Structure formats: structure tokens, C-alpha cells
Amino acid sequence: MAKGVQTITNYFPEIDKETIDKFITLDILYNDWNSKINVISRKDIKNIFIHHFLHSLALVKIQSLNEDTSILDIGTGGGLPGIPLAIMFPKATFHLIDGTGKKIKVAKELIKQLELKNITAEQCRSEDHNQKYNIVLGRAVSTLSDFTRIAKKNLKKQGNIFYWTGGNYKSIRNNRNVKIFKLENFFNEEYFIDKYIVKTE
């Protein structure tokens, strides 16, 4: 088993062979697309399992997504964190949006080639998307305050926003309306130091 896959199974030993195979295929597909379109930083693609797949899957340590859960991924780029999460939660429904056409094209192709039935992707500015969801996700899209302001209109009652961020922990901590999850508490890799998921309503 490839080292990257082993890293995921170490943290999520419950995943089955079909799920593992999808992550292996996703790695191959991202590498292929990245040779044509800069979806992921060229220097970062070799670390895709930890820096992107595992980073996306941090939500699994925080929140369960069941068959009644609808999720919007704003600013998804080429499908992160939405696609890895859709692989892990096949009963939840995901919708991915991004304003950049070539990146959404990649996300759509990945969804098609992986035969994921629980996820759709659309080229759309977040300001123009008004459908409501149980959960809205964002991964290093903008500042936390800007993202929260935009994403709130897409939340159903009692819904939550989860935002992946890093850097200045103190500035986030001073916001009383958020709950902060330090990813180094879940994963041992050095990459996760000073990286967080912020939960807000």
C-alpha cells in the first residue's frame, strides 16, 4: 500500500477497500490534471495525501455527515475539501461551487471518473448562489469574517459553517462566536501545526 494511503488508513482504519481505491484513483487523476492545469501547487502535489486529502478529512474528526446532510463547498477550486469528504460520506449530498471555470471543469471530471453519485459541481460565484444547506465548507478561501458573511445566507436553520484556516490562532480565538479545532490534536504530521477548522453558525 502506498505511503499516502497508509497515512489515511492509520487515522481512519474503518474505511473499506472501495474507499481506499477511490483515494488512490483520485491521487492519479489529480496528478494527471495538474500536469495540464495548475489545480494544486506544483511543489505541493507530491504531498497530496497529507496536505490535501487528510487535511480535508479533518472534518470527519469533528462532524458526522449522514444521509440527511446537505453540504455546500464554496471556493472549492478543483474539488477540495468536497471530493475527499464525499468519498468518505457517500450518503451525504455535496454541491461544489467556484467562480473559476477551468477548476470546476476538473472537479466535474473527477466526480465523473470516480462515479460519485452524491456530489455535483457548478461554476458560480458564491454571492450568486442562494440555495440553503445544513453545512457550508470553505478551505482558505478568504478571511474568516468575509467567508462567514457570504456563507450565512446559504445556511438552513441550525446549520453550521466549517472553515479551514491557519496562522494567527489568537486573532481567531478572540471571536466569541466560533469554536476552534486544532488539527494537530488529530494528526501527528508537522504540517498540521497551526492549522485549524473553525466552526460557526
Side-chain angles (χ1 to χ4, degrees):
M1 187 180 293
K3 183 179 179 182
V5 179
Q6 185 68 56
T7 301
I8 290 179
T9 57
N10 285 344
Y11 289 111
F12 304 100
E14 71 280 5
I15 65 174
D16 57 24
K17 184 179 184 301
E18 182 180 357
T19 303
I20 293 169
D21 288 344
K22 284 192 185 316
F23 278 112
I24 292 170
T25 302
L26 186 60
D27 173 37
I28 294 168
L29 292 173
Y30 267 125
N31 274 275
D32 180 51
W33 275 105
N34 222 54
S35 66
K36 307 166 190 173
I37 299 172
N38 190 22
V39 182
I40 294 170
S41 167
R42 304 284 190 204
K43 63 181 181 180
D44 215 24
I45 190 72
K46 65 181 179 180
N47 298 310
I48 191 168
F49 274 95
I50 292 174
H51 292 190
H52 298 284
F53 297 170
L54 194 59
H55 193 205
S56 297
L57 295 177
L59 185 66
V60 182
K61 300 291 188 181
I62 301 166
Q63 180 76 24
S64 178
L65 306 179
N66 59 40
E67 60 186 345
D68 298 319
T69 309
S70 59
I71 302 102
L72 175 66
D73 179 3
I74 293 178
T76 189
L80 298 165
I83 291 178
L85 287 168
I87 291 173
M88 285 290 278
F89 291 103
K91 292 184 178 181
T93 57
F94 292 79
H95 187 61
L96 280 51
I97 64 171
D98 197 280
T100 305
K102 64 181 181 179
K103 290 187 176 181
I104 280 294
K105 177 185 176 182
V106 173
K108 287 182 176 180
E109 285 299 318
L110 295 175
I111 291 166
K112 180 180 177 181
Q113 292 180 64
L114 288 166
E115 299 182 343
L116 298 175
K117 306 300 184 186
N118 62 327
I119 184 169
T120 53
E122 173 190 12
Q123 182 182 358
C124 177
R125 295 172 67 250
S126 57
E127 293 84 355
D128 299 328
H129 188 75
N130 295 307
Q131 188 171 337
K132 294 189 182 296
Y133 301 81
N134 301 116
I135 289 174
V136 179
L137 309 177
R139 184 172 180 256
V141 178
S142 61
T143 65
L144 174 63
S145 59
D146 285 346
F147 184 83
T148 302
R149 176 178 50 80
I150 292 169
K152 275 188 172 182
K153 68 176 171 41
N154 299 113
L155 279 184
K156 293 181 178 180
K157 287 184 178 179
Q158 298 181 330
N160 293 114
I161 297 167
F162 291 90
Y163 189 70
W164 281 247
T165 188
N168 191 340
Y169 173 60
K170 289 183 179 180
S171 67
I172 301 169
R173 187 179 58 192
N174 290 336
N175 188 330
R176 296 180 180 180
N177 298 320
V178 304
K179 185 171 183 180
I180 302 161
F181 299 89
K182 300 176 72 172
L183 300 192
E184 62 188 276
N185 291 338
F186 305 132
F187 306 127
N188 296 325
E189 286 75 12
E190 185 177 353
Y191 174 76
F192 295 103
I193 296 173
D194 293 333
K195 288 188 170 56
Y196 316 94
I197 289 180
V198 180
K199 177 182 179 182
T200 187
E201 298 177 354

